Amino acid sequence: MALSPLGRAVARSFDKIAPLSLAESWDNVGWLLQAARPRTGRPGRTVVLTIDLTTAVYRNLPEDTGIVVAYHPTLFSSIKQIGIGNNALQASILGLARDGISLYSPHTCLDAAVGGINTWLASAFDNVSDAKVCRPVANPPAHHEGAGLGKQVQLSSDVELDEAVKRIKSHLNLKTVMLARSDQPRSQRVRSIAICAGSGGSVIGNADADLLWTGEMSHHEILAATARGTHVVLCNHSNTERGYLHTLKRKLEEELSTDPQAESEAWRVIIAQEDRDPLDDEAASQNTFSVVSLRCCSGAQSSFVDEPRHKDKSAWGARVSLEYFEATSVIGKTAARSRT
């Protein structure tokens, strides 16, 4: 099915911003849906950027939406049936098809691209003296030499761990993050940081660094890191990705503004305001618990949700959670229960 002139311009733009050849072999990127017919009524001149195509994002698309760029692939596993009653995501995709809206996903292409998400994350620190990718892409395309997943940075001067956490929170505009402190850190201060957007355990889990910063890691990956003297900061999966949409918006606008086919159209690029992490601060802050800071056998300092009815705290052993940092206090929230 032929794309609209704007669709072809968007594809050419992503060929420069994050070429499809940078994607991981397991990923599902590019055009996931090419609308079978153009929109009726108002032309589809708006490009909507989002991390996830949720029901809320779909329901609030502007009437003149022609293209949705969803960072995470909405279609990933094989589908044998598709129908409105199967699940909400399929209903949204069917709605896009009905409305003449095409769907594109760049996912790991943006992770690996030069100037991509991990580069943006690293910019939280203004004193980076050296940076390298953790998993280089073999035979990258022109202008993306040095592309790869993850980023390990060396700071020109070390910082306190709490200062590093403060910079991360500020960069991501978060009130809280989760921190697993190593009880026997390789260094009392932070100088080397391994970074990976999303779920970074497989990319940076074994990195030789003072601090690992990602969206999520498994329980055992965290224990292994803290046991060898490395601290871990987790921010929830999509919180490490969503802020990059502002950079992507600027890059896409720059490319479209010089594309001959897009120049003739009254296009615009916007960010979906309804897109948010399902474990966001607002949801978590509705229920707050005090915490007791303890030491666990892995060498990590962690926190327990304080439930006064348990006099014997040894009975809580299976419910270890990570520290939550908010302002100058440490608090535990109901969201921590899913991290135990």
Side-chain angles (χ1 to χ4, degrees):
M1 183 62 61
L3 288 166
S4 67
L6 180 58
R8 292 193 292 272
V10 166
R12 284 191 294 271
S13 298
F14 273 101
D15 282 343
K16 298 177 182 178
I17 297 169
L20 295 179
S21 60
L22 295 178
E24 291 288 285
S25 59
W26 49 263
D27 207 357
N28 189 31
V29 296
W31 292 107
L32 305 186
L33 172 66
Q34 294 186 35
R37 57 180 175 79
R39 288 182 64 89
T40 57
R42 299 182 65 180
R45 293 174 176 171
T46 294
V47 180
V48 178
L49 307 182
T50 185
I51 294 298
D52 294 296
L53 177 62
T54 61
T55 302
V57 169
Y58 167 70
R59 288 177 176 172
N60 288 278
L61 291 175
E63 291 184 3
D64 65 344
T65 300
I67 298 168
V68 172
V69 176
Y71 167 76
H72 287 138
T74 310
L75 295 172
F76 197 83
S77 303
S78 299
I79 295 177
K80 294 184 178 181
Q81 293 180 329
I82 187 167
I84 293 177
N86 288 351
N87 60 58
L89 290 179
Q90 286 191 13
S92 296
I93 293 170
L94 286 173
L96 293 182
R98 177 198 61 203
D99 297 336
I101 301 172
S102 297
L103 176 64
Y104 186 94
S105 173
H107 202 206
T108 52
C109 305
L110 272 180
D111 292 349
V114 172
I117 293 181
N118 291 305
T119 301
W120 170 76
L121 287 174
S123 68
F125 297 88
D126 57 8
N127 60 332
V128 173
S129 60
D130 184 55
K132 62 180 181 180
V133 297
C134 298
R135 186 187 296 171
V137 170
N139 303 314
H143 308 298
H144 283 273
E145 294 81 2
L149 296 181
K151 188 80 71 175
Q152 182 150 349
V153 300
Q154 193 79 10
L155 305 182
S156 58
S157 58
D158 53 26
V159 298
E160 294 284 352
L161 176 59
D162 288 358
E163 173 61 23
V165 171
K166 180 180 178 181
R167 294 188 191 184
I168 289 170
K169 288 168 55 181
S170 175
H171 191 63
L172 299 182
N173 193 28
L174 295 176
K175 294 180 180 178
T176 61
V177 299
M178 293 173 284
L179 170 65
R181 293 179 185 264
S182 175
D183 195 34
Q184 298 176 329
R186 43 183 272 157
S187 172
Q188 294 303 315
R189 294 168 66 86
V190 173
R191 188 150 192 165
S192 57
I193 307 171
I195 302 167
C196 186
S199 181
S202 63
V203 177
I204 64 172
N206 295 317
D208 182 21
D210 300 324
L211 176 65
L212 306 184
W213 170 22
T214 185
E216 60 185 353
M217 290 173 62
S218 75
H219 174 79
H220 297 289
E221 288 170 336
I222 297 168
L223 291 180
T226 55
R228 67 172 186 270
T230 298
H231 308 297
V232 179
V233 172
L234 304 180
C235 305
N236 287 335
H237 189 111
S238 67
N239 284 339
T240 57
E241 303 158 340
R242 187 163 289 102
Y244 181 77
L245 291 180
H246 296 279
T247 299
L248 179 60
K249 179 178 183 290
R250 175 181 55 79
K251 287 175 174 282
L252 186 55
E253 287 172 337
E254 290 175 354
E255 293 296 337
L256 290 176
S257 65
T258 59
D259 189 285
Q261 285 191 310
E263 281 182 342
S264 61
E265 300 204 20
W267 54 266
R268 63 172 179 157
V269 180
I270 66 172
I271 297 172
Q273 298 304 303
E274 296 74 23
D275 179 46
R276 58 176 54 89
D277 193 276
L279 298 173
D280 64 11
D281 283 346
E282 290 184 10
S285 63
Q286 293 177 5
N287 293 283
T288 303
F289 297 81
S290 61
V291 297
V292 179
S293 183
L294 299 174
R295 305 282 177 175
C296 60
C297 59
S298 70
Q301 178 176 331
S302 298
S303 305
F304 287 86
V305 177
D306 183 3
E307 300 186 45
R309 67 178 181 274
H310 291 294
K311 295 182 180 180
D312 180 9
K313 293 182 175 58
S314 64
W316 306 357
R319 293 208 302 278
V320 177
S321 68
L322 300 173
E323 288 182 87
Y324 275 82
F325 272 67
E326 181 166 16
T328 58
S329 63
V330 182
I331 63 172
K333 298 183 176 180
T334 49
R337 292 178 182 271
S338 65
R339 300 286 178 181
T340 58

PDB file of all heavy atoms in Angstrom, residues 19-25 108 112-114 133-142 144-149:
ATOM      1  N   PRO A  19      18.257   4.717  11.372  1.00  0.00           N
ATOM      2  CA  PRO A  19      18.032   3.751  10.284  1.00  0.00           C
ATOM      3  C   PRO A  19      17.559   2.395  10.804  1.00  0.00           C
ATOM      4  O   PRO A  19      17.980   1.946  11.874  1.00  0.00           O
ATOM      5  CB  PRO A  19      19.415   3.640   9.631  1.00  0.00           C
ATOM      6  CG  PRO A  19      20.131   4.893  10.019  1.00  0.00           C
ATOM      7  CD  PRO A  19      19.624   5.258  11.375  1.00  0.00           C
ATOM      8  N   LEU A  20      16.703   1.752  10.036  1.00  0.00           N
ATOM      9  CA  LEU A  20      16.158   0.460  10.443  1.00  0.00           C
ATOM     10  C   LEU A  20      17.233  -0.609  10.578  1.00  0.00           C
ATOM     11  O   LEU A  20      17.056  -1.582  11.320  1.00  0.00           O
ATOM     12  CB  LEU A  20      15.091   0.002   9.440  1.00  0.00           C
ATOM     13  CG  LEU A  20      13.830   0.873   9.364  1.00  0.00           C
ATOM     14  CD1 LEU A  20      12.868   0.320   8.321  1.00  0.00           C
ATOM     15  CD2 LEU A  20      13.151   0.970  10.722  1.00  0.00           C
ATOM     16  N   SER A  21      18.351  -0.438   9.900  1.00  0.00           N
ATOM     17  CA  SER A  21      19.430  -1.430   9.979  1.00  0.00           C
ATOM     18  C   SER A  21      20.078  -1.474  11.363  1.00  0.00           C
ATOM     19  O   SER A  21      20.823  -2.403  11.675  1.00  0.00           O
ATOM     20  CB  SER A  21      20.500  -1.135   8.930  1.00  0.00           C
ATOM     21  OG  SER A  21      21.061   0.156   9.124  1.00  0.00           O
ATOM     22  N   LEU A  22      19.784  -0.489  12.217  1.00  0.00           N
ATOM     23  CA  LEU A  22      20.342  -0.476  13.570  1.00  0.00           C
ATOM     24  C   LEU A  22      19.541  -1.340  14.538  1.00  0.00           C
ATOM     25  O   LEU A  22      19.978  -1.577  15.667  1.00  0.00           O
ATOM     26  CB  LEU A  22      20.378   0.960  14.114  1.00  0.00           C
ATOM     27  CG  LEU A  22      21.293   1.955  13.401  1.00  0.00           C
ATOM     28  CD1 LEU A  22      21.170   3.330  14.050  1.00  0.00           C
ATOM     29  CD2 LEU A  22      22.740   1.479  13.437  1.00  0.00           C
ATOM     30  N   ALA A  23      18.385  -1.824  14.121  1.00  0.00           N
ATOM     31  CA  ALA A  23      17.504  -2.566  15.024  1.00  0.00           C
ATOM     32  C   ALA A  23      18.108  -3.904  15.426  1.00  0.00           C
ATOM     33  O   ALA A  23      18.859  -4.531  14.669  1.00  0.00           O
ATOM     34  CB  ALA A  23      16.148  -2.791  14.373  1.00  0.00           C
ATOM     35  N   GLU A  24      17.769  -4.352  16.628  1.00  0.00           N
ATOM     36  CA  GLU A  24      18.136  -5.690  17.070  1.00  0.00           C
ATOM     37  C   GLU A  24      17.378  -6.719  16.230  1.00  0.00           C
ATOM     38  O   GLU A  24      16.260  -6.460  15.753  1.00  0.00           O
ATOM     39  CB  GLU A  24      17.790  -5.874  18.548  1.00  0.00           C
ATOM     40  CG  GLU A  24      18.650  -5.050  19.488  1.00  0.00           C
ATOM     41  CD  GLU A  24      20.069  -5.592  19.572  1.00  0.00           C
ATOM     42  OE1 GLU A  24      20.281  -6.626  20.233  1.00  0.00           O
ATOM     43  OE2 GLU A  24      20.966  -4.967  18.965  1.00  0.00           O
ATOM     44  N   SER A  25      17.960  -7.904  16.070  1.00  0.00           N
ATOM     45  CA  SER A  25      17.371  -8.919  15.193  1.00  0.00           C
ATOM     46  C   SER A  25      15.998  -9.382  15.670  1.00  0.00           C
ATOM     47  O   SER A  25      15.154  -9.794  14.870  1.00  0.00           O
ATOM     48  CB  SER A  25      18.317 -10.119  15.085  1.00  0.00           C
ATOM     49  OG  SER A  25      18.556 -10.683  16.371  1.00  0.00           O
ATOM     50  N   THR A 108      14.480  -0.137  18.965  1.00  0.00           N
ATOM     51  CA  THR A 108      15.918  -0.265  19.223  1.00  0.00           C
ATOM     52  C   THR A 108      16.776   0.493  18.217  1.00  0.00           C
ATOM     53  O   THR A 108      17.974   0.679  18.458  1.00  0.00           O
ATOM     54  CB  THR A 108      16.348  -1.747  19.256  1.00  0.00           C
ATOM     55  OG1 THR A 108      15.902  -2.412  18.068  1.00  0.00           O
ATOM     56  CG2 THR A 108      15.754  -2.448  20.469  1.00  0.00           C
ATOM     57  N   ALA A 112      20.073   2.541  19.606  1.00  0.00           N
ATOM     58  CA  ALA A 112      21.439   2.363  19.111  1.00  0.00           C
ATOM     59  C   ALA A 112      21.960   3.557  18.322  1.00  0.00           C
ATOM     60  O   ALA A 112      23.172   3.703  18.148  1.00  0.00           O
ATOM     61  CB  ALA A 112      21.502   1.107  18.230  1.00  0.00           C
ATOM     62  N   ALA A 113      21.083   4.416  17.836  1.00  0.00           N
ATOM     63  CA  ALA A 113      21.486   5.500  16.938  1.00  0.00           C
ATOM     64  C   ALA A 113      22.452   6.475  17.602  1.00  0.00           C
ATOM     65  O   ALA A 113      22.391   6.714  18.814  1.00  0.00           O
ATOM     66  CB  ALA A 113      20.251   6.255  16.456  1.00  0.00           C
ATOM     67  N   VAL A 114      23.340   7.027  16.794  1.00  0.00           N
ATOM     68  CA  VAL A 114      24.179   8.130  17.258  1.00  0.00           C
ATOM     69  C   VAL A 114      23.257   9.315  17.539  1.00  0.00           C
ATOM     70  O   VAL A 114      22.446   9.691  16.699  1.00  0.00           O
ATOM     71  CB  VAL A 114      25.231   8.494  16.190  1.00  0.00           C
ATOM     72  CG1 VAL A 114      25.973   9.761  16.589  1.00  0.00           C
ATOM     73  CG2 VAL A 114      26.198   7.335  15.984  1.00  0.00           C
ATOM     74  N   VAL A 133      29.951   2.995  23.659  1.00  0.00           N
ATOM     75  CA  VAL A 133      28.762   2.154  23.679  1.00  0.00           C
ATOM     76  C   VAL A 133      29.099   0.824  24.337  1.00  0.00           C
ATOM     77  O   VAL A 133      30.248   0.368  24.310  1.00  0.00           O
ATOM     78  CB  VAL A 133      28.194   1.929  22.260  1.00  0.00           C
ATOM     79  CG1 VAL A 133      27.751   3.237  21.644  1.00  0.00           C
ATOM     80  CG2 VAL A 133      29.204   1.221  21.369  1.00  0.00           C
ATOM     81  N   CYS A 134      28.090   0.201  24.924  1.00  0.00           N
ATOM     82  CA  CYS A 134      28.304  -1.071  25.614  1.00  0.00           C
ATOM     83  C   CYS A 134      28.226  -2.264  24.665  1.00  0.00           C
ATOM     84  O   CYS A 134      28.903  -3.269  24.867  1.00  0.00           O
ATOM     85  CB  CYS A 134      27.269  -1.232  26.728  1.00  0.00           C
ATOM     86  SG  CYS A 134      27.373   0.041  28.010  1.00  0.00           S
ATOM     87  N   ARG A 135      27.379  -2.161  23.635  1.00  0.00           N
ATOM     88  CA  ARG A 135      27.253  -3.249  22.664  1.00  0.00           C
ATOM     89  C   ARG A 135      27.222  -2.635  21.266  1.00  0.00           C
ATOM     90  O   ARG A 135      26.168  -2.262  20.758  1.00  0.00           O
ATOM     91  CB  ARG A 135      25.982  -4.058  22.912  1.00  0.00           C
ATOM     92  CG  ARG A 135      25.872  -5.296  22.008  1.00  0.00           C
ATOM     93  CD  ARG A 135      24.517  -5.967  22.162  1.00  0.00           C
ATOM     94  NE  ARG A 135      24.312  -6.491  23.495  1.00  0.00           N
ATOM     95  CZ  ARG A 135      23.143  -6.960  23.932  1.00  0.00           C
ATOM     96  NH1 ARG A 135      22.089  -6.954  23.140  1.00  0.00           N
ATOM     97  NH2 ARG A 135      23.036  -7.424  25.161  1.00  0.00           N
ATOM     98  N   PRO A 136      28.382  -2.517  20.613  1.00  0.00           N
ATOM     99  CA  PRO A 136      28.449  -1.856  19.304  1.00  0.00           C
ATOM    100  C   PRO A 136      27.645  -2.591  18.237  1.00  0.00           C
ATOM    101  O   PRO A 136      27.504  -3.814  18.269  1.00  0.00           O
ATOM    102  CB  PRO A 136      29.947  -1.882  18.976  1.00  0.00           C
ATOM    103  CG  PRO A 136      30.632  -2.114  20.283  1.00  0.00           C
ATOM    104  CD  PRO A 136      29.697  -2.950  21.098  1.00  0.00           C
ATOM    105  N   VAL A 137      27.118  -1.824  17.285  1.00  0.00           N
ATOM    106  CA  VAL A 137      26.432  -2.388  16.121  1.00  0.00           C
ATOM    107  C   VAL A 137      27.477  -2.750  15.071  1.00  0.00           C
ATOM    108  O   VAL A 137      28.354  -1.941  14.753  1.00  0.00           O
ATOM    109  CB  VAL A 137      25.426  -1.374  15.537  1.00  0.00           C
ATOM    110  CG1 VAL A 137      24.894  -1.847  14.188  1.00  0.00           C
ATOM    111  CG2 VAL A 137      24.278  -1.149  16.510  1.00  0.00           C
ATOM    112  N   ALA A 138      27.392  -3.956  14.548  1.00  0.00           N
ATOM    113  CA  ALA A 138      28.318  -4.375  13.497  1.00  0.00           C
ATOM    114  C   ALA A 138      27.921  -3.725  12.176  1.00  0.00           C
ATOM    115  O   ALA A 138      26.743  -3.688  11.821  1.00  0.00           O
ATOM    116  CB  ALA A 138      28.305  -5.898  13.362  1.00  0.00           C
ATOM    117  N   ASN A 139      28.883  -3.195  11.466  1.00  0.00           N
ATOM    118  CA  ASN A 139      28.665  -2.582  10.152  1.00  0.00           C
ATOM    119  C   ASN A 139      27.547  -1.532  10.169  1.00  0.00           C
ATOM    120  O   ASN A 139      26.549  -1.644   9.435  1.00  0.00           O
ATOM    121  CB  ASN A 139      28.335  -3.663   9.112  1.00  0.00           C
ATOM    122  CG  ASN A 139      29.404  -4.722   9.015  1.00  0.00           C
ATOM    123  OD1 ASN A 139      30.592  -4.412   8.959  1.00  0.00           O
ATOM    124  ND2 ASN A 139      28.986  -5.986   9.012  1.00  0.00           N
ATOM    125  N   PRO A 140      27.679  -0.507  10.983  1.00  0.00           N
ATOM    126  CA  PRO A 140      26.643   0.536  11.026  1.00  0.00           C
ATOM    127  C   PRO A 140      26.605   1.327   9.723  1.00  0.00           C
ATOM    128  O   PRO A 140      27.605   1.406   9.008  1.00  0.00           O
ATOM    129  CB  PRO A 140      27.092   1.416  12.191  1.00  0.00           C
ATOM    130  CG  PRO A 140      28.576   1.237  12.246  1.00  0.00           C
ATOM    131  CD  PRO A 140      28.817  -0.200  11.870  1.00  0.00           C
ATOM    132  N   PRO A 141      25.458   1.921   9.393  1.00  0.00           N
ATOM    133  CA  PRO A 141      25.348   2.708   8.163  1.00  0.00           C
ATOM    134  C   PRO A 141      26.114   4.021   8.273  1.00  0.00           C
ATOM    135  O   PRO A 141      26.560   4.410   9.360  1.00  0.00           O
ATOM    136  CB  PRO A 141      23.845   2.955   8.043  1.00  0.00           C
ATOM    137  CG  PRO A 141      23.351   2.897   9.447  1.00  0.00           C
ATOM    138  CD  PRO A 141      24.192   1.865  10.131  1.00  0.00           C
ATOM    139  N   ALA A 142      26.257   4.689   7.153  1.00  0.00           N
ATOM    140  CA  ALA A 142      26.961   5.973   7.127  1.00  0.00           C
ATOM    141  C   ALA A 142      26.319   6.955   8.094  1.00  0.00           C
ATOM    142  O   ALA A 142      25.096   6.972   8.274  1.00  0.00           O
ATOM    143  CB  ALA A 142      26.940   6.542   5.706  1.00  0.00           C
ATOM    144  N   HIS A 144      26.414   6.885  11.160  1.00  0.00           N
ATOM    145  CA  HIS A 144      26.094   6.271  12.449  1.00  0.00           C
ATOM    146  C   HIS A 144      27.234   5.367  12.912  1.00  0.00           C
ATOM    147  O   HIS A 144      27.007   4.394  13.639  1.00  0.00           O
ATOM    148  CB  HIS A 144      24.775   5.503  12.367  1.00  0.00           C
ATOM    149  CG  HIS A 144      23.576   6.397  12.408  1.00  0.00           C
ATOM    150  ND1 HIS A 144      22.979   6.815  13.579  1.00  0.00           N
ATOM    151  CD2 HIS A 144      22.892   6.997  11.405  1.00  0.00           C
ATOM    152  CE1 HIS A 144      21.966   7.609  13.301  1.00  0.00           C
ATOM    153  NE2 HIS A 144      21.889   7.746  11.987  1.00  0.00           N
ATOM    154  N   GLU A 145      28.450   5.706  12.478  1.00  0.00           N
ATOM    155  CA  GLU A 145      29.611   4.989  12.975  1.00  0.00           C
ATOM    156  C   GLU A 145      29.693   5.184  14.494  1.00  0.00           C
ATOM    157  O   GLU A 145      29.521   6.287  15.002  1.00  0.00           O
ATOM    158  CB  GLU A 145      30.888   5.513  12.315  1.00  0.00           C
ATOM    159  CG  GLU A 145      30.973   5.234  10.819  1.00  0.00           C
ATOM    160  CD  GLU A 145      30.198   6.227   9.962  1.00  0.00           C
ATOM    161  OE1 GLU A 145      29.617   7.174  10.540  1.00  0.00           O
ATOM    162  OE2 GLU A 145      30.168   6.058   8.726  1.00  0.00           O
ATOM    163  N   GLY A 146      29.928   4.109  15.205  1.00  0.00           N
ATOM    164  CA  GLY A 146      29.945   4.186  16.663  1.00  0.00           C
ATOM    165  C   GLY A 146      28.595   3.939  17.294  1.00  0.00           C
ATOM    166  O   GLY A 146      28.430   4.108  18.509  1.00  0.00           O
ATOM    167  N   ALA A 147      27.612   3.510  16.484  1.00  0.00           N
ATOM    168  CA  ALA A 147      26.283   3.216  17.020  1.00  0.00           C
ATOM    169  C   ALA A 147      26.322   1.945  17.857  1.00  0.00           C
ATOM    170  O   ALA A 147      27.168   1.066  17.654  1.00  0.00           O
ATOM    171  CB  ALA A 147      25.278   3.060  15.882  1.00  0.00           C
ATOM    172  N   GLY A 148      25.402   1.838  18.790  1.00  0.00           N
ATOM    173  CA  GLY A 148      25.329   0.636  19.612  1.00  0.00           C
ATOM    174  C   GLY A 148      24.417   0.830  20.806  1.00  0.00           C
ATOM    175  O   GLY A 148      23.985   1.944  21.107  1.00  0.00           O
ATOM    176  N   LEU A 149      24.127  -0.256  21.483  1.00  0.00           N
ATOM    177  CA  LEU A 149      23.234  -0.216  22.637  1.00  0.00           C
ATOM    178  C   LEU A 149      23.997   0.144  23.904  1.00  0.00           C
ATOM    179  O   LEU A 149      25.143  -0.253  24.095  1.00  0.00           O
ATOM    180  CB  LEU A 149      22.549  -1.572  22.828  1.00  0.00           C
ATOM    181  CG  LEU A 149      21.609  -2.035  21.719  1.00  0.00           C
ATOM    182  CD1 LEU A 149      21.008  -3.389  22.082  1.00  0.00           C
ATOM    183  CD2 LEU A 149      20.508  -1.017  21.473  1.00  0.00           C
TER     184      LEU A 149
END
